[in-house]
Amino acid sequence: MTQAQRPAGQPAAADVVASRPAVPQLNPPAEVAQASTPQVVMSPIAAKPAPVGEALTAQSSVRFNAVAPASLVDARAPDVAAPTPGPNPRALRPAGTEVRAAEATDEELAARGKRFAIDAVPYVATQAYADASRALSVAYRARDSSQDQAIVDAVFTTWPSETARVPATTVAPPRARRLHEEARKAIAYGDGVASAMDLELKAFGANPRDPDIAQFLALLHLWTKPSQPETARQLALFAIALSGPKRTARADYWNTLAVASALSARQNDATAAFLVETALSTSLDRSCRAALRAYASYGDPLRTPVQAMLYRVRSQPRGYAYPACAWPQY
């Protein structure tokens, strides 16, 4: 295009090139020629075809992905090297970023589990305690096992706390179960409560809606030194509520609630929870042994509740058939 054909006000290509800030050389030409591998500098801006008349120095082996400005106003700073991602991109997540449980790091799962235990569990436990009050009241007032069916019905009925919102956007049940089994093995192999607690908190973070995980986490809070009975009590109520109708088949959850209640100075609740366990249990010998182990471990706070449970079992017509439910002679 001749100067006469160029629209008025449009600068010549040579003028544009001359007015653009010079692109600095990253290395002297002699040093670049000696490099074994050419350096590639990528621009964070998408590449465009250079306009006619664009001239870039081709004397070195350095390749530039440059963008020619459309006008003098659009001139930009020279290109810079793009940052190289680190070896662990997860560590670069901003604080508070919600990620899928299946993709979260162990540290993120543990933090999430602790957050659920602080924020969600007390709220659901308060609702669950109100729902459990009818079954606890019937069990506490009953004189013998003739009221067992009424206790079972009160446990089986739908509880509003079953549908309480647990603030978890994503869950990973398979990963949660794997961590849960690792925590159980840590206790079985004698690795210590602290190791199991760490694993179970991660499992709880991966799936806080799994009642077995919440129940085992409650037990770990009882077994830690010193024990944390109020947290264990809340987790036990949380687990019972999330079990839905299946809570009638989980007598051991009520055992955990009874022990945690006794250690929280809730003697009447502890007695009632043991009696609910008695009404639900399919193995009274097993339930009695668990209650007696708790008494052996924690002593006087469990004495009255455990005695009430054993008396209820022994007062049944076939109470003599459960030798483990006799009060120990010591």
Side-chain angles (χ1 to χ4, degrees):
M1 180 183 296
T2 65
Q3 183 174 3
Q5 293 174 331
R6 184 172 60 251
Q10 177 175 342
D15 297 335
V16 174
V17 174
S19 62
R20 181 184 304 108
V23 179
Q25 292 288 341
L26 300 183
N27 295 292
E31 294 179 6
V32 173
Q34 296 173 2
S36 60
T37 304
Q39 181 180 2
V40 180
V41 182
M42 300 298 294
S43 169
I45 306 172
K48 300 178 182 177
V52 177
E54 176 69 11
L56 295 177
T57 304
Q59 295 178 356
S60 71
S61 60
V62 180
R63 296 181 300 180
F64 290 88
N65 185 10
V67 180
S71 65
L72 297 177
V73 178
D74 293 332
R76 294 183 176 88
D79 294 336
V80 294
T84 302
N88 183 13
R90 291 176 177 173
L92 303 178
R93 290 184 186 130
T97 300
E98 188 67 35
V99 296
R100 292 174 57 85
E103 301 170 354
T105 64
D106 285 349
E107 292 75 14
E108 288 169 336
L109 287 181
R112 185 182 297 185
K114 292 176 183 177
R115 187 170 71 247
F116 290 155
I118 293 172
D119 297 340
V121 170
Y123 173 75
V124 178
T126 300
Q127 292 183 308
Y129 180 70
D131 294 336
S133 293
R134 181 168 177 266
L136 293 172
S137 179
V138 172
Y140 189 79
R141 295 175 184 275
R143 293 182 177 274
D144 52 44
S145 59
S146 62
Q147 295 295 310
D148 283 359
Q149 188 57 50
I151 297 171
V152 174
D153 292 342
V155 172
F156 182 77
T157 190
T158 301
W159 291 10
S161 55
E162 291 176 26
T163 58
R165 180 178 177 272
V166 178
T169 57
T170 61
V171 296
R175 186 176 183 187
R177 274 286 164 172
R178 177 178 57 79
L179 289 165
H180 173 60
E181 291 304 321
E182 290 179 6
R184 293 176 63 87
K185 290 178 181 177
I187 292 296
Y189 297 158
D191 291 343
V193 174
S195 175
M197 179 80 77
D198 180 64
L199 290 166
E200 198 69 0
L201 276 173
K202 295 171 185 175
F204 193 55
N207 187 10
R209 299 184 179 93
D210 189 325
D212 288 341
I213 293 175
Q215 150 71 6
F216 192 62
L217 194 58
L219 286 175
L220 291 172
H221 279 83
L222 289 176
W223 295 341
T224 191
K225 302 294 183 182
S227 63
Q228 301 175 38
E230 182 56 30
T231 301
R233 173 183 167 273
Q234 293 175 356
L235 284 163
L237 285 166
F238 182 89
I240 291 171
L242 264 61
S243 298
K246 293 181 179 179
R247 59 180 153 262
T248 56
R250 289 171 172 166
D252 53 330
Y253 286 23
W254 295 86
N255 182 285
T256 303
L257 175 62
V259 175
S261 297
L263 296 179
S264 300
R266 297 171 179 262
Q267 290 288 307
N268 291 346
D269 284 351
T271 299
F274 274 131
L275 297 178
V276 171
E277 179 189 4
T278 301
L280 299 177
S281 180
T282 58
S283 175
L284 287 174
D285 266 338
R286 179 174 177 269
S287 294
C288 290
R289 283 194 295 269
L292 288 170
R293 280 197 302 269
Y295 171 64
S297 297
Y298 301 107
D300 198 57
L302 272 294
R303 184 181 184 89
T304 299
V306 172
Q307 281 182 331
M309 176 190 182
L310 300 182
Y311 177 80
R312 176 68 57 86
V313 175
R314 301 290 286 185
S315 66
Q316 296 181 13
R318 289 182 53 82
Y320 63 87
Y322 309 106
C325 296
W327 184 254
Q329 301 300 317
Y330 55 79

